[in-house]
Amino acid sequence: MGAGHSHGDHGHSHVGVDSSIVKNKEATRVLMISLVAMLITAIFQAIIVAVSGSVALLADTIHNFGDALTSIPLWIAFVLSRRLPTKRFTYGLNRSEDLAGLLIIIVIAISAIVAGYESIQRLFNGSSVTNLWAVAIASIIGFLGNELVAIYRIRMGKKMGSAALVADGHHARVDGITSLAVLIGVIGTWLGYPIVDPIVGLGITITIIFIVKDSVKTIFSRLLDGMEPKTIDLITASVEDVKGVVSVTEVKARWFGHEITADISIAVESDMSITEGHDIAKDVIDRLQHDVEHIGIIHVHIDPEEEPGADFHSHGHVSTYPFEWAGIYELSTGDYEYTLDAGPDPAMLISFLPLSESTQDVFEVAKLDAIRVFKGTSQPLASGSILQPSYDHTQLLLDGDVTFVVRITKPGSYALFTEHHPDEFAAVLRHNGSTISVSLEEAFPSAHAHEHGHSHG
């Protein structure tokens, strides 16, 4: 049995349990460690606020508490991602991670608005800071706490492929810069230039805006199923290198949470068994597991090499068939006349194949045979020549009105495949003056398709 349009849809994991669950547990651990670190930092700063009465440090402390709390929507998203697919959510809830990333971006944007507002207020109204040494220490602690959390979140987010976790890491980095800016303001105040503090605040606001822009681009790209072109190229190259893959006809991939889901269509030799095609699909999956980072579920669709790609799978498709028309004739022994009038082309490629019977199933197999024949070298045939059924590719030379002798040595069913529709040349098959009708026919769209009426056969 040939491979046909069989499917090899497979999931995989790199270890003994589901890889997505393992990664979600890792992500949850990252969030918990980050949450604890940020809470400790914010609590320490709150103590210094009570001692110094610094309004700038108070704003930074509130900001750091808010940063710690951004771990909560991510934690909820990772918990939801662990849930198994249901009839309503057949792909699971991994997309919730990107929604959490969107919420984090909103929080970062609000931080930019608050920072900008406070900076402008201080710029016009002025401000004073007491106990500068305590504020300076709290500023440094705030910076170190945020930066350590940022490094940890970004590194783990990239390792797991989590855009939301990376975005949260950048948020922590911005908060660290904000904390350090408090120190710059302290130095400016100590040197007698209190205006330095609001100017630095405006600089931080601009920095936050740029980070929001980059984070929005990443998150919305994933929400819209965007994928890095270099990843598509890597998937294609890896699959093409698998033994037994004739061609890669389609590669689709998207981020689903912190994993990549890929849909791949490949063409294999049509005389392969379903088992052989299935083994090739498994080899494709195995190769992608090793070559593509963050790959999750992989679906592999297998087509015979004569009908590659999605064009052959849907109604009304525009395919790449090399012929426009095919018809089955029931013929007895003898000579027939195949006449064609002058048409739009000086020649036409045909394939005239013997069939075991005139059924739709046999017709489908004959189509694949004809595609293979059309790939071969054609033999020119001039008017008056004899045309016999064979698995050869023939080019009818159409110099004005022409007639070919169709010689049948064995009665049976025969399929004629023509590069152009017979109506373009008023083509008719006759025997002893009578027109021979087809028992089964089909028109195929092609690169040079035209509008046709009913055939003469």
Side-chain angles (χ1 to χ4, degrees), residues 65-360:
F65 270 116
D67 181 55
L69 295 179
T70 59
S71 298
I72 295 177
L74 265 183
W75 176 77
I76 294 174
F78 289 138
V79 170
L80 291 175
S81 296
R82 293 186 193 178
R83 293 189 177 182
L84 296 175
T86 64
K87 287 185 178 180
R88 179 177 293 275
F89 300 102
T90 55
Y91 287 96
L93 297 173
N94 287 36
R95 188 70 77 186
S96 60
E97 184 179 330
D98 293 324
L99 294 177
L102 187 60
L103 179 60
I104 290 170
I105 288 174
I106 294 174
V107 173
I108 298 176
I110 293 174
S111 298
I113 294 172
V114 172
Y117 175 78
E118 290 296 330
S119 298
I120 293 173
Q121 284 288 98
R122 293 174 190 175
L123 188 63
F124 287 100
N125 299 328
S127 63
S128 60
V129 181
T130 60
N131 297 316
L132 296 181
W133 64 271
V135 177
I137 293 175
S139 171
I140 294 173
I141 294 297
F143 167 73
L144 292 176
N146 275 289
E147 183 60 21
L148 290 174
V149 168
I151 292 173
Y152 183 51
R153 284 179 177 175
I154 293 172
R155 179 169 62 85
M156 294 303 293
K158 289 181 177 179
K159 177 182 177 183
M160 292 182 290
S162 172
L165 195 54
V166 171
D168 206 27
H170 285 303
H171 183 194
R173 177 156 287 164
V174 169
D175 286 349
I177 296 173
T178 303
S179 296
L180 198 61
V182 174
L183 177 61
I184 297 175
V186 168
I187 295 173
T189 301
W190 180 65
L191 293 176
Y193 299 101
I195 197 174
V196 171
D197 181 64
I199 291 175
V200 170
L202 287 175
I204 292 172
T205 300
I206 295 173
T207 301
I208 295 175
I209 290 173
F210 276 103
I211 288 179
V212 167
K213 177 183 72 69
D214 292 339
S215 298
V216 165
K217 182 179 179 181
T218 300
I219 293 296
F220 272 92
S221 176
R222 293 197 175 187
L223 285 173
L224 296 174
D225 289 337
M227 176 56 63
E228 299 81 358
K230 64 179 182 180
T231 301
I232 298 296
D233 293 339
L234 175 58
I235 292 174
T236 303
S238 295
V239 176
E240 287 177 339
D241 197 41
V242 174
K243 184 179 180 181
V245 175
V246 175
S247 65
V248 179
T249 56
E250 187 175 43
V251 173
K252 292 182 178 180
R254 62 181 178 178
W255 283 98
F256 194 51
H258 46 264
E259 288 190 337
I260 296 172
T261 296
D263 294 280
I264 302 161
S265 292
I266 63 174
V268 301
E269 295 179 358
S270 58
D271 58 354
M272 282 187 173
S273 68
I274 292 177
T275 300
E276 289 172 328
H278 182 78
D279 289 339
I280 292 176
K282 290 193 292 185
D283 290 341
V284 167
I285 292 170
D286 183 64
R287 174 63 65 87
L288 292 177
Q289 285 180 331
H290 292 89
D291 290 356
V292 182
E293 194 175 10
H294 309 307
I295 196 77
I297 297 174
I298 304 168
H299 301 282
V300 181
H301 181 92
I302 303 173
D303 294 317
E305 61 179 320
E306 293 84 4
E307 297 188 14
D311 285 345
F312 288 90
H313 305 155
S314 59
H315 295 289
H317 65 268
V318 179
S319 71
T320 54
Y321 283 106
F323 39 79
E324 279 193 13
W325 180 87
I328 296 180
Y329 294 93
E330 302 297 333
L331 304 177
S332 56
T333 304
D335 287 348
Y336 295 74
E337 292 181 346
Y338 188 51
T339 61
L340 302 93
D341 295 344
D345 294 290
M348 179 170 66
L349 298 173
I350 70 165
S351 176
F352 193 35
L353 307 179
L355 304 180
S356 59
E357 56 182 336
S358 58
T359 63
Q360 186 64 48

